[in-house]
Amino acid sequence: MTGVASLQPRQIAIVDPCCAAGYAPQALAAGGLGGTEATVLRVAAALSANTPMHIFQKGRTDTKPSAAGRLRPLSEAFARATESTIIVINAWKVACKLRKVHPAARILLWLHGYPGRHNRPMGSALRAADIAVVCVSRTHADWLRDFLGDTAPDITHIHNPIADHLTPDNTRRDPDRLLFASSPHKGLAQVFKQFAAAREAIPTLTLAVADPGYLAWDTGSVPDGVTFLGALPHPDLIAGMRRALCLFYPQTSFAETFGLVMAEANAVGTPVLVHRDLGANAEVVGDPAQCIDGNDLTQVVDRLRHWRVTPPVVRVNPQFRLSTVASQWADLLDRSETRSHTLDRVA
């Protein structure tokens, strides 16, 4: 592509071919941003203090500076070979295509989801292209190693970040207020049924639903006592967490690779009611008292009754703090790597 400046060594490119539209740091406070996009912006902004950052985004048509780095159209990521480090969000096939264009670059796949069975060829393809994978939790990384088996490339993990300043304060908690703060496809239909059963036992309970709004989803009938908050600005969402008895998330169908809102809730002292054996739930919340069998409605009700009388003291894992996560990314990106491969190794 003539006229498009190439990246220089010691610059970092983040390539997001999966986003619905371009996004910028201003959206972090405005709300409605998905967890992956929020994580990309936070990590990039932290790294940009010492390293030039470029973020190539699907749906972006302009180029502009930002606190997270220079925001650029996706097509420009394929222009001119570079020796920079390239971090590709989720799309392993795009990472392999970029290897053909950038044979001398270091390429990482930053994976935020669980690949489906049709993606099993990704292991051998990534190995052939000399592309390592960064997962977002230990649970996620262990799952991917098992999924890919002997074909697995190098796999590591760095947690998604939460802000360093998120700590408990003196906000009074409402013992009747539960909060669901995720996209509705993450088990909200089941959560409605669990809430309805809990409300039969504790009639004063209410459930507030903060939906970021990036995905429409059929959740069935809505029980009495539910209030929809829509997409909240992030400070308002955090304030809502502080007021709630708990983040109510005992659904058993959607496995989180990390669960950013769970970590944020614990950071401000709000417990999270989650299904024990699902995704990274147990790794993120840490405290076993927050983990139950979400299929057992008696456990759901009993835990709520107990917390209404004696709220638990919860803390967040310090490894999730942005300062720590940014340091881990900086260490990973600073590691020297000797690479030798030819283009015909790319699957």
Side-chain angles (χ1 to χ4, degrees):
M1 293 181 60
T2 303
V4 178
S6 62
L7 295 167
Q8 301 302 314
R10 301 296 300 168
Q11 294 184 339
I12 306 297
I14 297 178
V15 179
D16 189 347
C18 302
C19 55
Y23 52 93
Q26 295 88 332
L28 284 171
L33 199 62
T36 297
E37 291 85 355
T39 292
V40 168
L41 291 173
R42 288 169 180 149
V43 171
L47 294 175
S48 67
N50 298 308
T51 305
M53 302 292 298
H54 297 257
I55 306 178
F56 299 87
Q57 301 169 334
K58 178 183 177 183
R60 177 169 292 284
T61 58
D62 61 345
T63 298
K64 66 179 183 180
S66 79
R70 195 160 187 83
L71 307 178
R72 299 169 61 172
L74 177 63
S75 60
E76 293 186 4
F78 292 86
R80 298 186 186 179
T82 178
E83 296 177 3
S84 300
T85 296
I86 301 172
I87 303 169
V88 182
I89 308 299
N90 288 331
W92 65 270
K93 291 181 181 179
V94 172
C96 290
K97 289 179 181 178
L98 284 166
R99 168 58 72 216
K100 295 179 180 180
V101 179
H102 305 289
R106 184 184 184 191
I107 300 181
L108 302 171
L109 177 67
W110 191 1
L111 195 63
H112 292 255
Y114 294 106
R117 286 178 293 179
H118 63 286
N119 286 306
R120 288 192 186 278
M122 69 184 287
S124 56
L126 292 172
R127 286 183 68 172
D130 196 13
I131 297 171
V133 181
V134 182
C135 293
V136 297
S137 66
R138 183 189 67 252
T139 301
H140 187 204
D142 289 345
W143 180 94
L144 186 64
R145 292 187 188 100
D146 289 342
F147 175 75
L148 296 177
D150 293 339
T151 69
D154 290 339
I155 298 171
T156 188
H157 76 273
I158 299 177
H159 294 108
N160 285 344
I162 61 168
D164 291 349
H165 69 267
L166 289 181
T167 56
D169 65 11
N170 294 322
T171 300
R172 173 178 286 186
R173 298 196 182 279
D174 182 345
D176 288 327
R177 184 179 178 86
L178 311 180
L179 175 66
F180 179 92
S182 293
S183 179
H185 75 286
K186 297 185 177 184
L188 182 56
Q190 183 183 10
V191 166
F192 278 161
K193 294 176 182 177
Q194 293 163 320
F195 169 71
R199 200 166 191 259
E200 285 187 8
I202 310 171
T204 55
L205 287 179
T206 62
L207 175 65
V209 176
D211 175 1
Y214 57 77
L215 183 63
W217 200 262
D218 182 9
T219 58
S221 59
V222 179
D224 292 340
V226 172
T227 301
F228 291 94
L229 306 177
L232 295 177
H234 192 254
D236 292 351
L237 176 60
I238 297 301
M241 290 179 178
R242 296 185 187 280
R243 290 177 51 207
L245 172 68
C246 69
L247 195 66
F248 190 67
Y249 198 44
Q251 57 85 26
T252 63
S253 61
F254 186 90
E256 296 278 9
T257 54
F258 181 74
L260 191 62
V261 293
M262 295 190 291
E264 289 181 328
N266 274 186
V268 299
T270 301
V272 182
L273 193 61
V274 292
H275 182 55
R276 181 181 298 108
D277 300 318
L278 185 66
N281 287 355
E283 178 181 351
V284 172
V285 301
D287 177 12
Q290 298 178 75
C291 299
I292 61 167
D293 180 353
N295 293 308
D296 187 337
L297 292 175
T298 299
Q299 286 190 37
V300 173
V301 172
D302 287 349
R303 195 57 47 89
L304 292 175
R305 280 177 167 153
H306 178 68
W307 284 355
R308 283 162 56 83
V309 176
T310 309
V313 177
V314 298
R315 295 178 177 84
V316 72
N317 186 337
Q319 291 296 307
F320 304 161
R321 295 293 187 184
L322 177 58
S323 55
T324 299
V325 169
S327 178
Q328 291 172 343
W329 268 106
D331 289 345
L332 175 63
L333 296 173
D334 283 345
R335 292 174 196 164
S336 60
E337 182 176 327
T338 302
R339 303 178 56 258
S340 63
H341 66 81
T342 57
L343 289 179
D344 61 3
R345 291 175 57 199
V346 180

